[in-house]
Amino acid sequence: MSYNGYGNNYGYNNQGNSYGPPPPGGGWGGPPPPGGPRSNYGPPGGPPPMHTRPGYESNGSSYGNPPPSGNPPHGGHMSSYNPEPYAPSQAYQGGGQGYPPPTGPPPHPEQLHHFGPPSGQLPNAYNNSYNEGNYRAPPPPPTQAQAFGHGATQGYNYQYSNCQGRKRALFIGINYFGSSSALKGCINDVRNLSSFLVERYGFKWEDMVILTDDQSNPRSVPTRQNIINAMQWLVAGAQPNDNLFFHYSGHGGQTEDLDGDEDDGFDEVIYPLDFKQNGHIVDDEIHFRMVMPLPAGCRLTAIFDSCHSGSVLDLPYLYSTNGTLKEPNLAKEAGQGLLSAGMSYLRGDIGGMVSGVSSIFKNVTGSNSSATEISRRTKTSPADVIQLSGCKDNQTSADASEGGQATGAMSWAFREVMMKNSQQSYLSLLQCLREELNGKYQQKPQLSCSHPLDMNLLFII
């Protein structure tokens, strides 16, 4: 199997770069240009691409429904800490010309990792070692609704997914070709992890959207608008027990928190290819686009291989390697205001949803509640959302080399851990990710969830 793209064979011996932005300078981080986004970075016309094979060729399908109406929370403000923008030799054009590919030949097939089918049936919610009588193995997730507890509103529950419904995946890899902050492994990460899901977990190429900056199709380039559209495509029409997967490999950073839900006072962000013109994407907006629309029992597994990514999906339950909440002082969460806001969203009443969330925020801040309490009152979800991130919010993630190939350390570690043992509990998964990177990299992978999580349960994809 070969790829039609470029950019896999550049500098495999790199160990020192990170996915974080370099120090500010040269006027970086100013506000977007007046008058809205520049026209040469606007979304091109025509249908977005989807994929039938890893050559990233389009079959002409659509991303589906338009993005949610209303404005996400302060989603477009700029950081004072940005990587240098991509500087192509030709401007991005909406007529199909696209960014020019990097120089050099496309990768040879032997430079790409292939995983092949598993030697036996991979575990799922019904077929697993625990259900076959091995009660030392991690048990599958429960099928009944789970109460949030800790003073939450009665009747507001969450639901684990059995991941037996529709499978859909979104991959974003940005190497930032031509800039002084270029990365080497991000496109490889996307190719390797997408192949891993297809070859071992039954995902299909036609149910994936892949955005990388080595593609000529303008709808496949990871601009801000294309990323937002693809996020909406991922969650559109989601149902209980659907199995959604998101992977981002690229630059990450931080910016000032404006709504009080961050303990350290900083929101986390990711950097689209055109961030200099159109802005970064802040964690509140990522949550708004990909978590808030999901129904109870729908799984979203999100992997962020970027700097400062520990809480970039804004999930309120962060777990340690001993299986406990890192901040166990739980306040009342998911109150009536949140339930009302959620119902308003499901009815399409965006105004009611915003009003409900705003009232919660006012009540919380008026009572001097902590940022953690604010997060758990406003970002708790009945869906089954799991985030695996490459590092803590205050750490960087390595753009590394493993097996002679440029790769993100976190993306590589996830594949390695799951290939060595597919019967992982959430706890063992987090522990093994840490162990895989320990001694080679300083970063510490993180695991967070949209609801209280039994870390001893079986992790399924």
Side-chain angles (χ1 to χ4, degrees):
M1 185 183 299
S2 64
Y3 291 97
N4 293 338
Y6 294 80
N8 262 296
N9 54 347
Y10 301 97
Y12 291 130
N13 62 351
N14 172 60
Q15 290 280 0
N17 291 350
S18 77
Y19 285 163
W28 302 341
R38 296 179 182 178
S39 59
N40 65 327
Y41 280 89
M50 292 174 64
H51 306 282
T52 57
R53 59 189 177 92
Y56 300 158
E57 294 184 358
S58 169
N59 67 5
S61 299
S62 170
Y63 279 156
N65 299 329
S69 57
N71 294 321
H74 61 280
H77 67 280
M78 293 291 293
S79 171
S80 60
Y81 193 48
N82 293 332
E84 182 179 333
Y86 176 55
S89 58
Q90 294 175 299
Y92 176 77
Q93 301 293 331
Q97 181 179 5
Y99 287 110
T103 58
H108 297 294
E110 61 267 19
Q111 292 175 319
L112 302 173
H113 289 178
H114 299 285
F115 306 97
S119 57
Q121 184 176 6
L122 289 171
N124 59 45
Y126 304 106
N127 298 305
N128 52 74
S129 295
Y130 186 90
N131 284 352
E132 293 170 359
N134 180 7
Y135 297 118
R136 293 185 177 182
T143 58
Q144 66 273 23
Q146 306 292 303
F148 277 96
H150 305 290
T153 300
Q154 186 175 2
Y156 186 66
N157 302 320
Y158 64 95
Q159 178 71 55
Y160 288 100
S161 175
N162 63 26
C163 294
Q164 297 296 296
R166 179 186 60 175
K167 297 179 185 289
R168 185 177 273 192
L170 168 59
F171 295 88
I172 303 168
I174 314 177
N175 277 9
Y176 308 90
F177 293 113
S179 77
S180 62
S181 54
L183 300 171
K184 296 180 174 68
C186 300
I187 294 174
N188 288 346
D189 292 340
V190 162
R191 288 174 170 167
N192 289 330
L193 196 50
S194 60
S195 294
F196 181 71
L197 290 189
V198 169
E199 295 174 13
R200 296 182 67 89
Y201 285 94
F203 282 72
K204 298 179 180 179
W205 293 113
E206 57 265 31
D207 295 324
M208 292 181 174
V209 166
I210 296 175
L211 305 179
T212 54
D213 56 342
D214 64 343
Q215 301 190 67
S216 60
N217 186 328
R219 296 289 280 180
S220 299
V221 177
T223 62
R224 190 182 199 281
Q225 188 61 56
N226 283 349
I227 291 175
I228 294 299
N229 289 347
M231 287 178 174
Q232 173 59 19
W233 166 85
L234 180 66
V235 302
Q239 299 294 320
N241 295 318
D242 279 355
N243 187 2
L244 311 179
F245 194 94
F246 174 88
H247 173 241
Y248 171 82
S249 182
H251 276 303
Q254 292 184 303
T255 190
E256 181 184 359
D257 172 35
L258 300 181
D259 61 6
D261 65 345
E262 300 282 352
D263 285 320
D264 61 359
F266 292 97
D267 279 327
E268 286 64 51
V269 305
I270 60 173
Y271 290 98
L273 192 60
D274 61 339
F275 75 91
K276 184 66 174 180
Q277 291 74 22
N278 294 326
H280 56 229
I281 305 177
V282 75
D283 52 10
D284 297 282
E285 180 168 9
I286 300 172
H287 183 98
F288 176 81
R289 301 291 181 184
M290 292 203 299
V291 178
M292 187 173 288
L294 298 178
C298 178
R299 161 63 73 83
L300 170 63
T301 304
I303 296 179
F304 286 86
D305 200 346
S306 54
C307 290
H308 309 290
S309 56
S311 63
V312 71
L313 198 53
D314 260 4
L315 302 182
Y317 298 89
L318 182 65
Y319 285 86
S320 69
T321 51
N322 62 14
T324 60
L325 277 169
K326 285 198 170 182
E327 297 174 36
N329 183 21
L330 295 177
K332 288 187 178 181
E333 58 203 344
Q336 188 60 45
L338 178 59
L339 181 59
S340 175
M343 295 303 295
S344 295
Y345 184 89
L346 293 176
R347 293 194 303 267
D349 178 11
I350 299 299
M353 181 272 294
V354 173
S355 175
V357 172
S358 297
S359 66
I360 296 171
F361 177 72
K362 290 177 182 178
N363 290 337
V364 171
T365 55
S367 62
N368 297 318
S369 297
S370 70
T372 300
E373 292 170 340
I374 295 173
S375 176
R376 288 177 182 155
R377 293 190 186 189
T378 60
K379 300 292 177 67
T380 294
S381 169
D384 190 20
V385 184
I386 302 295
Q387 179 194 338
L388 296 167
S389 56
C391 62
K392 296 180 178 181
D393 282 342
N394 62 353
Q395 291 182 320
T396 58
S397 291
D399 189 23
S401 176
E402 293 290 345
Q405 186 184 59
T407 183
M410 175 62 183
S411 300
W412 168 81
F414 176 77
R415 298 192 315 271
E416 288 294 305
V417 167
M418 293 305 296
M419 284 192 294
K420 290 177 180 177
N421 179 13
S422 60
Q423 299 268 353
Q424 299 273 358
S425 68
Y426 291 97
L427 179 59
S428 66
L429 174 61
L430 178 59
Q431 292 171 339
C432 290
L433 287 171
R434 293 274 187 96
E435 183 177 341
E436 200 72 46
L437 299 181
N438 186 38
K440 300 174 68 175
Y441 308 99
Q442 296 298 315
Q443 66 197 76
K444 294 184 178 180
Q446 305 291 299
L447 187 153
S448 57
C449 189
S450 58
H451 56 70
L453 178 64
D454 183 347
M455 290 285 282
N456 294 311
L457 293 176
L458 177 68
F459 171 72
I460 55 177
I461 302 178

